[in-house]
Amino acid sequence: MRNVYMVLFDWSTTDDAGVEVELFDTYQKAFDRFNAIIAQEKNPEMSWAADAFDEDGTERDGYIFDSETDGSKKHDLFWNLTDQDDWNIHDFLELRIMEVK
């Protein structure tokens, strides 16, 4: 059996939504992409999600945030952010390790 590494990004705003799926042949490539998406989402010029964090990276009131982003043990990861006042506005990011038979 062999592993495939999937980065799944399910996002939604007030006027658009999407699901992006990318597959990688190594954990490191998937982990790098996972972190690149987080960096994009924290960029105020690129995403609403940047408003959810202060300058120290701490979550602001009005948002629900949960994450597991330590890839040192090569396991599934996630980075989830939701606007508490509008559940349709969200970022759900996952890195999944999947077996191919």
Side-chain angles (χ1 to χ4, degrees):
M1 284 189 234
R2 192 173 149 208
N3 286 339
V4 171
Y5 307 91
M6 178 176 66
V7 175
L8 174 68
F9 186 33
D10 173 358
W11 59 271
S12 179
T13 64
T14 55
D15 61 352
D16 203 3
V19 176
E20 302 170 18
V21 178
E22 297 177 71
L23 300 176
F24 298 89
D25 61 347
T26 68
Y27 186 86
Q28 188 61 52
K29 289 177 187 175
F31 184 65
D32 291 346
R33 180 62 180 140
F34 178 82
N35 285 318
I37 293 171
I38 292 171
Q40 284 177 288
E41 293 305 296
K42 287 185 169 184
N43 181 339
E45 295 179 13
M46 299 187 75
S47 175
W48 68 272
D51 295 337
F53 302 97
D54 66 16
E55 53 278 344
D56 296 325
T58 304
E59 169 195 348
R60 291 186 172 147
D61 289 340
Y63 298 92
I64 299 169
F65 178 67
D66 191 22
S67 70
E68 171 57 58
T69 59
D70 178 7
S72 63
K73 295 184 181 173
K74 294 187 179 179
H75 58 93
D76 291 356
L77 304 176
F78 63 92
W79 190 88
N80 297 332
L81 179 64
T82 305
D83 184 323
Q84 193 169 357
D85 296 324
D86 186 345
W87 290 89
N88 289 319
I89 300 175
H90 67 262
D91 279 358
F92 300 146
L93 177 62
E94 299 177 47
L95 187 161
R96 292 185 193 170
I97 301 170
M98 306 176 76
E99 284 187 3
V100 177
K101 297 181 181 187

